[in-house]
Amino acid sequence: MNKRSLMSLILFFSAVFFTTVPANAVSTIVNKDVNAQVAVEEDDIKSEETDIINKVTFREIFKKSPEAQINSFFKKYNKYSSKNDIEKLKTMYADEYVNNDGFNKETVFKLMATASDAYKEVKYTTDILSIKTDGNYAVVKAHEIATGETAKAIKKLNDTGSIVSDIYYTDYLVKRDNKWQISATDVTYEKVDLKYGEAKKMNVDVTAPDCVPEGSEYEALVKINSPDGVFVVGSIVNEQIVFPQIEEKDVYRSIKNDELARVLSANKNKHNEYATISIAITRAQVEPPSVVLNMTGMAFVMKRINVLSVDNGLITEKEDLNEQAAKKTKKSKK
């Protein structure tokens, strides 16, 4: 399945962290689901000839359950993703496709192409959590992890970056002409890590809400396990998920006791956003009469924050529940 994240690849659709000095610019790529095509494609016939063509008739293939069809094509989707076969992936998306960031099919594939050029040897592991079908429609919930390396090395460190994308999402599929296609994607959780040099051995844990009301304040807390004998600085900004991406700049602060926190204000533009963390690791080199700090590692971490409109009924309901809880607390104190 694959999707968004990284590459969103996935998903799939996201952007990449690439600048001369990747001081921020991380993104994910949109992720999607495989379509359940009932027609067996030529390259697949070659590999599945013995198991399918020689053992069952094509009529039996068409009788496969919707769940079996969807599972089969999720596997095919991963295969095409690993081969960067963009043209075949496009056939797995409906023309009306849109995700919860408002990106349509054209934008998603622009992001996929960017990720394809920026990363190499990307591998996907997808766990399908549930499949629900209703005639020609299906809802698929999945968890996907994608790993890979940047195609280019960063000059300051002379090292390529390692990337890990962790994403939970729901794909909505539609079946037309005996072929499943992804018509929409809703990403509920997403975290992307890009690390260079010494940072590859460092854990970066980010605590931030998965969703917040527009215009509200929320805290992003970062905890790391920095190497011994280093000086670490970092920054935390929130970036709206738009295309082209708008890069937010921030000053780097010293990370003390391996923790860094910042209160952010969610945008009011009806865009989801990322809490983006940039970290630089330096080591001191004594060169009398001075001390020189050499950069030995960099990390960029992006945590998705889905921003909900204040007009959204879910938020109104949450506020009502909070008010009820507050009233109960007051009564218990009397």
Side-chain angles (χ1 to χ4, degrees), residues 142-177:
H143 174 215
E144 176 185 281
I145 294 179
T147 60
E149 292 287 324
T150 60
K152 297 180 181 179
I154 186 172
K155 293 181 179 180
K156 286 181 175 290
L157 299 171
N158 191 30
D159 183 34
T160 57
S162 62
I163 188 165
V164 177
S165 171
D166 186 0
I167 190 170
Y168 285 85
Y169 61 91
T170 299
D171 273 338
Y172 298 87
L173 280 65
V174 60
K175 188 177 183 181
R176 299 189 179 107
D177 298 327

Side-chain angles (χ1 to χ4, degrees), residues 29-202:
I29 288 177
V30 4
N31 91 204
K32 297 24 316 16
D33 287 321
V34 158
N35 31 246
Q37 279 180 294
V38 179
V40 179
E41 298 178 22
E42 185 176 357
D43 60 339
D44 295 314
I45 291 178
K46 294 179 181 179
S47 62
E48 300 173 8
E49 189 171 35
T50 300
D51 296 328
I52 296 180
I53 298 181
N54 291 342
K55 293 185 178 181
V56 300
T57 67
F58 279 100
R59 178 171 296 179
E60 288 174 311
I61 293 175
F62 277 82
K63 289 182 179 179
K64 286 199 303 185
S65 70
E67 292 78 9
Q69 293 173 13
I70 291 172
N71 273 298
S72 174
F73 286 100
F74 279 165
K75 292 179 181 178
K76 188 178 294 186
Y77 185 99
N78 280 341
K79 181 179 73 172
Y80 294 158
S81 296
S82 298
K83 292 181 177 180
N84 289 323
D85 195 333
I86 300 298
E87 293 308 311
K88 285 187 177 178
L89 286 173
K90 284 182 179 180
T91 67
M92 297 183 170
Y93 288 78
D95 290 341
E96 71 274 17
Y97 174 85
V98 66
N99 62 32
N100 62 322
D101 295 320
F103 294 172
N104 60 19
K105 181 176 179 178
E106 180 182 1
T107 299
V108 163
F109 276 91
K110 285 182 179 179
L111 290 166
M112 278 193 187
T114 300
S116 177
D117 293 337
Y119 302 100
K120 62 181 181 180
E121 299 179 357
V122 178
K123 296 181 180 179
Y124 300 94
T125 300
T126 303
D127 181 17
I128 299 177
L129 306 178
S130 68
I131 298 176
K132 293 183 179 180
T133 62
D134 183 5
N136 291 328
Y137 299 92
V139 178
V140 181
K141 293 183 179 296
H143 174 215
E144 176 185 281
I145 294 179
T147 60
E149 292 287 324
T150 60
K152 297 180 181 179
I154 186 172
K155 293 181 179 180
K156 286 181 175 290
L157 299 171
N158 191 30
D159 183 34
T160 57
S162 62
I163 188 165
V164 177
S165 171
D166 186 0
I167 190 170
Y168 285 85
Y169 61 91
T170 299
D171 273 338
Y172 298 87
L173 280 65
V174 60
K175 188 177 183 181
R176 299 189 179 107
D177 298 327
N178 287 320
K179 182 184 298 185
W180 287 101
Q181 290 182 310
I182 304 160
S183 62
T185 298
D186 182 17
V187 180
T188 53
Y189 173 87
E190 180 182 9
K191 181 174 179 284
V192 180
D193 297 63
L194 176 60
K195 300 176 181 178
Y196 296 86
E198 278 195 287
K200 291 180 178 178
K201 299 178 181 179
M202 182 176 69

Side-chain angles (χ1 to χ4, degrees), residues 218-222 235-238 249-251 253 260-264:
Y218 63 93
E219 181 183 58
L221 172 65
V222 180
S235 73
I236 302 176
V237 298
N238 53 330
K249 299 197 176 194
D250 185 37
V251 296
R253 300 168 176 80
L260 180 65
R262 185 178 179 186
V263 175
L264 303 169

